[in-house]
Amino acid sequence: MISGEKKYIWQQDDWPRWVYDLKRLLPLLSQVHLAQGHLLGRMHDVGMELRDEATLRVLSMDVLKTSEIEGEKLNLESVRSSIARRLGLDIGALAPADRHVDGVVDMVLDATQRHADILTAERLFGWHAALFPTGYSGLARIRVGAWRDDSQGPMQVVSGPVQRRRVHYEAPPAAMLDAKLFEFLRWFNAPHDEDPVITAGIAHLWFVTIHPFDDGNGRIARAVGDMALAGADHCVQRYYSVSAQLLRERKDYYDWLERTQKGTLDVTDWLEWFLGCLLRAVQGAESTLSAVLAKAGFWSRWAGVSMNERQIKLLNKLLDGFDGKLTSSKWAAIAKCSQDTALRDISDLLAKGVLVKSAASGRSTSYELTT
């Protein structure tokens, strides 16, 4: 344990008696609730099928981005397929199962779909085991489904090469974990007088400050925060992704965590930043809804046009935000067909007016949806 000065927040005598200036946060809280209410109201009006589509998009982003924050990139198709399997949604052909992807999906869905259930140590252990199904983080073997034991030294968040390593944070010693997690879980599961969005911000900070696992603490902290937000929305369907917004603001996210973890128990500044980030996430979800509505409008417009499975699959990829330009070679690769078959598919859609040649094709001809 660190001796001498009290460098970290958990060394404060009153930790974890959090304090914050509610009066200062109220204007931002009002904006967050107004934006949440507006988004939920719009989603209520679009029908179950479109709500499912929006939820699939948002949950896919949540799983992708909470991993990407930690520098790990998952495959979008594998994530979408894993979520669709678990929610019973028909999205056509499914990608093969990937147990690592499935583990992150299981954690995110358990946190949001079962937000009303009590959060226990056993449940957290299950999330952790799902994140690390092989028992390894990269090449390092870690304790899975159990609190860390600090056998390799104190838990530190570090960056930089070994010779110039910078310690951003050192977590409480392993000997304190049982007591500190018991205290956290008792608070998290108890009825709260405070605004549930405030609860989400404090829960996120509190859990990642305890840092109870060898690895995966950030992802689990974000899942805990999402669990609180799902409870605040009283809704198992998710229409905005905090993790996606945190990735956009990753440097600020880490800076604010480090600053707060080295500060006092007054967490007003952290909550102000967290609420701002949440507000931007909710406001950004309007683009998700617009994309869902545009996709529905597209298929309504072309409902009477016959298409084969390959054409439907590729058109849905374009509607979901195709990366780069669609060429006949990409069509053949994605649809797993020959170049000749891809050209026939494309020519058919050109003749029907569904696709047009892109004006900015460059060397190779590319195609886009008719506007």
Side-chain angles (χ1 to χ4, degrees), residues 56 76-86 91 93-96:
L56 179 60
L76 174 58
E77 287 305 309
S78 295
V79 171
R80 278 176 56 84
S81 294
S82 181
I83 294 170
R85 284 190 190 95
R86 282 152 178 74
I91 61 168
L94 296 174

Side-chain angles (χ1 to χ4, degrees), residues 141-332:
R141 186 160 187 82
I142 62 172
R143 286 170 60 86
V144 173
W147 309 137
R148 57 182 163 84
D149 62 9
D150 291 359
S151 58
Q152 303 300 313
M155 169 58 72
Q156 295 179 329
V157 178
V158 301
S159 67
V162 174
Q163 61 271 27
R164 296 194 307 276
R165 190 173 69 167
R166 178 187 170 194
V167 178
H168 298 274
Y169 175 66
E170 184 171 314
M176 298 173 62
L177 291 179
D178 280 335
K180 294 306 175 186
L181 265 299
F182 176 81
E183 193 171 19
F184 168 76
L185 292 171
R186 183 178 59 183
W187 167 83
F188 187 82
N189 292 314
H192 291 280
D193 293 330
E194 66 197 2
D195 189 293
V197 175
I198 295 285
T199 299
I202 292 176
H204 185 126
L205 172 66
W206 193 341
F207 187 88
V208 83
T209 297
I210 297 173
H211 229 75
F213 293 111
D214 279 344
D215 197 2
N217 295 284
R219 279 165 284 183
I220 293 176
R222 290 187 287 277
V224 169
D226 282 345
M227 182 176 173
L229 289 172
D233 294 335
H234 305 291
C235 181
V236 297
Q237 291 180 305
R238 308 304 301 145
Y239 302 128
Y240 59 89
S241 170
V242 178
S243 289
Q245 191 62 38
L246 288 173
L247 179 63
R248 295 184 194 102
E249 304 181 34
R250 177 163 56 178
K251 184 180 184 304
D252 284 346
Y253 173 44
Y254 284 143
D255 285 348
W256 275 108
L257 278 178
E258 181 175 355
R259 192 180 313 174
T260 306
Q261 288 169 333
K262 290 179 177 177
T264 70
L265 290 164
D266 185 337
V267 292
T268 308
D269 288 347
W270 158 259
L271 289 172
E272 189 171 55
W273 181 84
F274 178 84
L275 291 174
C277 186
L278 174 57
L279 178 61
R280 292 184 287 277
V282 178
Q283 291 171 335
E286 294 287 344
S287 63
T288 298
L289 176 56
S290 296
V292 169
L293 292 175
K295 186 175 181 179
F298 173 88
W299 286 117
S300 176
R301 177 184 177 187
W302 300 104
V305 176
S306 62
M307 301 181 197
N308 61 44
E309 287 186 11
R310 292 185 305 276
Q311 290 171 323
I312 292 170
K313 176 181 179 179
L314 268 294
L315 290 174
N316 273 323
K317 279 193 171 293
L318 283 174
L319 290 163
D320 290 335
F322 189 80
D323 187 16
K325 296 177 180 179
L326 176 63
T327 62
S328 58
S329 57
K330 285 186 180 179
W331 185 292

